[in-house]
Amino acid sequence: MEFDFLQPLENDFVSWLQELSFQQLGSKVVFHTKDQFPNIDKITVAIIGVLDNRGDKKAFSDVDLLPVRKELYSMFPGNWDASIADLGDIVAGNSIEDTYFALRKVVSTLIKNKVVPIVIGGSQDLTYALYRAYDELEQMVNLVSIDSKFDFGKDDESISASSYLTKIIVDEPNNLFNYCNIGYQTYYNSQEEIDLIEKLFFDGYRLGEISNNIALAEPVFRDADIVSLDLNSIKSSDSGNFISFAPNGFNGKEICSLSRYAGISDKVSMFGLFNHNNSNQEAVLIAQIIWYFIEGYHYRSNEYPFGSRENYIKFIVPIDDEILVFYKSDKTDRWWIEIPFVLNGNNKLKRNTLLPCSYDEYIGACNQELPERWWKAQRKNIV
């Protein structure tokens, strides 16, 4: 069984949980211990640790998630009705491929049971295993990475935390429909890599763009299946990571806002946090990031693609030779734009009929400005 890959939490940690008050989060979560395993049919969010950082060539110690768990479960929950379980850890396999296999099997089973996994790693190449978990679901996948780098590698380079994206793009079956990077820093990426993002009609938002207007990221998360967060994208003064020193990056408030956007997205079915440096300082921030994701999850509204378009206001905007069709939710005031895909019998693409957008993009269209993300989505359908 897939869950045999999961190692139960240590007895000392379970004893520590008994000391928490009934109001703290740790008293409201079901845990995988040596005596019990949570009933998957009764949970909606599952926390999983992966104790393998071999993909990070700079890692100097084994993964230790105990400080993260203690910080998280010491917090107080919001007004949540989500049923949360901590399923324990996937230990490092004999090879990195063994770890990928175990993680892929576990998260695939959870998704099939409509459980959202929160994966705490481990090196970011584990994102590849999360992506491959969708193979059995026969759907196209949108991947959003919060990262200062694109993580491209050479074709013959072995997979690592800094090269996993190449393997996702190249390997068959190719189920990647879109990739978006949020927070890249230009001096960490070659011009050839930046040009390749454009050539593949992927999306990239510089750190400065998002920091100046963090709401730009909300429509991106609304169309994501996987969100992968590289903790090195946070500046060291806020994360406490002085081992891989980052003078620039997101601050604590910004990264928690992005995490909440990811949680509130009706479509995000997996959230991963990677490249933890094992410091107690960073553990505090990781716990808060997870808290905000669960907070966002609680406020999901089950809009498109899960709801009906009957509850939307339709706007038709002529622009050049195109007729753009926008939809506004009368429930949340969020916006979508219609993408007229030619399906050619491919059911995988049906879910991408509406592309999340912002009110500013609607206003831009009214001023005869073609939305860039709409254009890129159209190009993917043509080529």
Side-chain angles (χ1 to χ4, degrees), residues 315-326 337-338 340 374:
F315 297 82
I316 299 176
V317 181
I319 176 170
D320 295 331
D321 296 328
E322 301 285 349
I323 301 293
L324 303 188
V325 180
F326 290 85
I337 185 172
E338 191 171 73
W374 178 91

Side-chain angles (χ1 to χ4, degrees), residues 192-202 376 383:
E192 289 77 11
E193 291 174 323
I194 296 172
D195 292 342
L196 182 58
I197 290 291
E198 288 295 318
K199 183 178 180 180
L200 296 172
F201 306 113
F202 290 158
K376 287 182 178 180
V383 300

Side-chain angles (χ1 to χ4, degrees), residues 355-376:
L355 180 72
C357 66
S358 66
Y359 172 71
D360 288 343
E361 287 174 303
Y362 165 71
I363 293 298
C366 292
N367 293 323
Q368 300 299 292
E369 297 174 8
L370 202 62
E372 184 177 355
R373 293 182 67 237
W374 178 91
W375 180 82
K376 287 182 178 180

Side-chain angles (χ1 to χ4, degrees), residues 25 29 45-49 65 67-73 75 80 84-86 116-121 229 231 255-260 262-263 271-274 282-298:
L25 181 58
V29 173
V45 175
I47 295 170
I48 302 167
L65 299 179
V68 175
R69 284 188 163 103
K70 285 190 172 181
E71 289 291 339
L72 177 63
Y73 298 129
M75 292 179 175
W80 302 341
I84 307 167
D86 189 325
V116 176
I118 300 175
V119 179
I120 316 171
L229 166 58
L231 293 162
I255 204 67
C256 287
S257 296
L258 294 175
S259 177
R260 191 178 187 277
F271 183 53
L273 302 93
F274 303 107
E282 193 172 66
V284 177
L285 183 57
I286 293 172
Q288 293 183 9
I289 291 170
I290 295 171
W291 190 97
Y292 272 101
F293 180 86
I294 300 173
E295 168 83 355
Y297 178 87
H298 174 76

Side-chain angles (χ1 to χ4, degrees), residues 194-305:
I194 296 172
D195 292 342
L196 182 58
I197 290 291
E198 288 295 318
K199 183 178 180 180
L200 296 172
F201 306 113
F202 290 158
D203 301 308
Y205 294 85
R206 292 179 60 179
L207 172 65
E209 289 181 87
I210 301 298
S211 294
N212 289 334
N213 182 11
I214 201 162
L216 286 174
E218 189 277 327
V220 175
F221 286 117
R222 213 186 322 153
D223 201 38
D225 297 290
I226 306 171
V227 176
S228 173
L229 166 58
D230 184 344
L231 293 162
N232 292 319
S233 65
I234 307 165
K235 61 182 178 180
S236 293
S237 59
D238 281 42
S239 70
N241 180 0
F242 295 103
I243 298 169
S244 300
F245 183 71
N248 290 303
F250 290 113
N251 62 36
K253 180 181 178 181
E254 290 166 344
I255 204 67
C256 287
S257 296
L258 294 175
S259 177
R260 191 178 187 277
Y261 280 147
I264 209 170
S265 166
D266 295 309
K267 196 178 170 195
V268 169
S269 52
M270 201 180 303
F271 183 53
L273 302 93
F274 303 107
N275 293 340
H276 173 34
N277 75 328
N278 291 343
S279 71
N280 290 334
Q281 296 94 327
E282 193 172 66
V284 177
L285 183 57
I286 293 172
Q288 293 183 9
I289 291 170
I290 295 171
W291 190 97
Y292 272 101
F293 180 86
I294 300 173
E295 168 83 355
Y297 178 87
H298 174 76
Y299 288 103
R300 290 190 174 189
S301 55
N302 292 317
E303 293 185 311
Y304 182 84

